[in-house]
Amino acid sequence: MKSGIPGVICKIDFEKTFDNVSWEFVDEVMQKMRVGELWRKWIHGCINNTPFFVLINGSYHTKFITGKGLTQGDTLSPFLFMIVSEALNLMLQLGHEQEHIGGFAMNQNGFTVSYLQYADDTLVFLDESPDQMNYLRYYLIGFEMVSGLKINFAKCGLFGVAGARNIDSMTAMLGCKTEILPSSYLCIPLGDSSSSIKWEALIEKCKSRLCSWKRSSLSKAGKLNLTKSVVSSILIYMLSLFIAPPKVIKVLEKVIRDFLWDPSETKKGYHYVSWKKCRTPLKSGGLGIKSLKNMNRALISKWWWRFNKEKTALWRKAMTSKYNTIHFERETEKPKPPNKY
């Protein structure tokens, strides 16, 4: 923290996320959300009437039905889990309003962020206070008792920020482990500047997906489809958050070119089509491979559009408070048309 105020980041880990959710709690939360009775009956029937079989020597035996949990792989399960996690969201919000949970301020008189939650990935920001750690422990245990979703305290982690000294004692109170920044949250660097992002992991992941042994088993069309799939799935997440250095773009494009044209490791393949032609859209006679530089620029530019559209988003409030963008907002507002009457 640039303010120099000591603080603690708690990274919460859930044990067997989908296996321990209470069905009664799901129905109760949906009732609080004013979901209709018919819808609740349908959802209860979907999760209650799922049979399981024990596979013994290739044959199904002993059908049984569980009394809790959500089916992994079911398209409905992630949405039901989000309903369950909303209860933890409200508990942490209430704890912050009652000053049981502190938070990190973006500036001296600015917006305070007390926790971040995306599905089962949760970060809680606390002051260097044993009392706040006790309150957090009570909230987590209470959520575990009502929802059935167990907290794996042994795998939870505490990060000390700005020279926090009571990390060991607070770790003992929560029964978790001590971790050191920088780390990652949702594959985003945590506690590290954006200029020092380790792009090597992204490059290696791209190489592993476009590895050499797949070249001989795929046709030219198969290689092209796999290349487009890698560009649209693996690379798009990081390129939508950070500006990639030119060297990284150059290496990634070389990996794509080598996979697309080289038949083997020992024999060099010829590039039958120029790379500029490969990046040309299909309707213009090219191969339709996206330019990584242009895609990176377009994805980053989208945040400007979202900044003006998402007025109540948490990230926008944090950015506005940290960088004092009130003057910028007034300049970017569209002028109102003159009144003709």
Side-chain angles (χ1 to χ4, degrees):
M1 293 177 64
K2 295 182 179 180
S3 61
I5 302 176
V8 176
I9 302 176
C10 181
K11 191 173 183 179
I12 299 175
D13 184 85
F14 293 90
E15 180 181 348
K16 296 181 180 180
T17 306
F18 286 90
D19 297 340
N20 299 316
V21 177
S22 172
W23 295 343
E24 290 77 9
F25 185 71
V26 174
D27 185 72
E28 184 178 355
V29 174
M30 289 192 298
Q31 186 178 2
K32 295 294 183 181
M33 292 181 174
R34 299 181 180 179
V35 179
E37 183 178 359
L38 182 60
W39 272 98
R40 291 191 285 111
K41 287 183 178 180
W42 286 347
I43 293 177
H44 184 73
C46 290
I47 63 178
N48 188 28
N49 297 324
T50 303
F52 292 87
F53 297 88
V54 179
L55 188 63
I56 302 177
N57 295 329
S59 302
Y60 292 103
H61 296 276
T62 316
K63 181 180 75 173
F64 64 94
I65 297 177
T66 62
K68 61 179 181 179
L70 303 175
T71 305
Q72 297 189 26
D74 187 1
T75 55
L76 185 63
S77 296
F79 297 99
L80 296 178
F81 181 80
M82 290 176 63
I83 293 177
V84 174
S85 62
E86 182 65 18
L88 179 61
N89 176 27
L90 296 176
M91 293 175 66
L92 295 177
Q93 183 178 353
L94 179 62
H96 177 65
E97 293 175 355
Q98 296 181 352
E99 299 183 355
H100 295 164
I101 296 176
F104 290 176
M106 308 310 297
N107 54 33
Q108 294 181 355
N109 300 317
F111 184 73
T112 300
V113 179
S114 57
Y115 63 94
L116 296 175
Q117 184 181 9
Y118 182 84
D120 60 336
D121 295 313
T122 306
L123 290 180
V124 183
F125 306 102
L126 306 172
D127 300 332
E128 192 183 10
S129 170
D131 294 335
Q132 291 189 13
M133 183 58 63
N134 268 330
Y135 278 119
L136 176 61
R137 184 171 179 270
Y138 295 151
Y139 283 127
L140 294 178
I141 293 177
F143 176 73
E144 178 180 326
M145 294 177 64
V146 297
S147 67
L149 190 60
K150 296 183 179 181
I151 309 296
N152 194 347
F153 288 99
K155 291 187 177 180
C156 293
L158 287 186
F159 301 89
V161 180
R165 300 179 179 179
N166 297 326
I167 295 297
D168 293 336
S169 60
M170 298 177 72
T171 301
M173 294 171 59
L174 193 62
C176 61
K177 58 184 179 180
T178 304
E179 296 192 14
I180 301 175
L181 295 174
S183 182
S184 63
Y185 175 69
L186 299 177
C187 299
I188 300 175
L190 181 65
D192 201 356
S193 61
S194 58
S195 60
S196 58
I197 298 173
K198 305 300 186 295
W199 293 95
E200 291 82 3
L202 181 65
I203 296 174
E204 291 299 326
K205 189 174 182 180
C206 186
K207 288 182 178 179
S208 64
R209 189 64 66 90
L210 301 177
C211 53
S212 59
W213 65 268
K214 296 181 181 179
R215 299 173 185 170
S216 58
S217 60
L218 293 175
S219 62
K220 287 289 190 296
K223 293 179 182 179
L224 180 60
N225 290 331
L226 182 58
T227 298
K228 292 181 179 180
S229 175
V230 169
V231 171
S232 61
S233 60
I234 296 179
L235 303 180
I236 194 170
Y237 180 70
M238 289 294 291
L239 295 182
S240 63
L241 297 175
F242 305 102
I243 299 177
K247 293 182 179 179
V248 175
I249 297 293
K250 186 176 180 180
V251 172
L252 290 174
E253 289 184 344
K254 184 179 183 303
V255 172
I256 294 174
R257 290 197 306 268
D258 292 344
F259 176 79
L260 191 61
W261 300 116
D262 288 0
S264 64
E265 292 290 342
T266 58
K267 184 179 179 181
K268 181 176 178 58
Y270 294 97
H271 294 195
Y272 300 103
V273 181
S274 65
W275 183 240
K276 183 178 180 181
K277 193 71 173 180
C278 292
R279 296 185 299 183
T280 304
L282 291 173
K283 62 181 180 180
S284 300
L287 296 182
I289 300 176
K290 296 180 180 179
S291 170
L292 298 184
K293 181 179 179 180
N294 294 338
M295 185 176 68
N296 187 200
R297 185 181 302 175
L299 292 172
I300 294 297
S301 300
K302 186 179 179 181
W303 289 102
W304 291 94
W305 177 83
R306 295 183 62 182
F307 185 87
N308 290 325
K309 293 296 182 180
E310 301 177 358
K311 300 293 184 179
T312 59
L314 175 64
W315 73 271
R316 187 186 188 277
K317 294 180 180 179
M319 296 292 290
T320 303
S321 177
K322 181 177 180 179
Y323 297 105
N324 193 16
T325 57
I326 298 177
H327 180 67
F328 170 77
E329 292 178 41
R330 294 175 180 174
E331 291 181 352
T332 55
E333 288 180 354
K334 294 182 179 179
K336 296 181 180 180
N339 191 358
K340 297 182 180 180
Y341 302 99

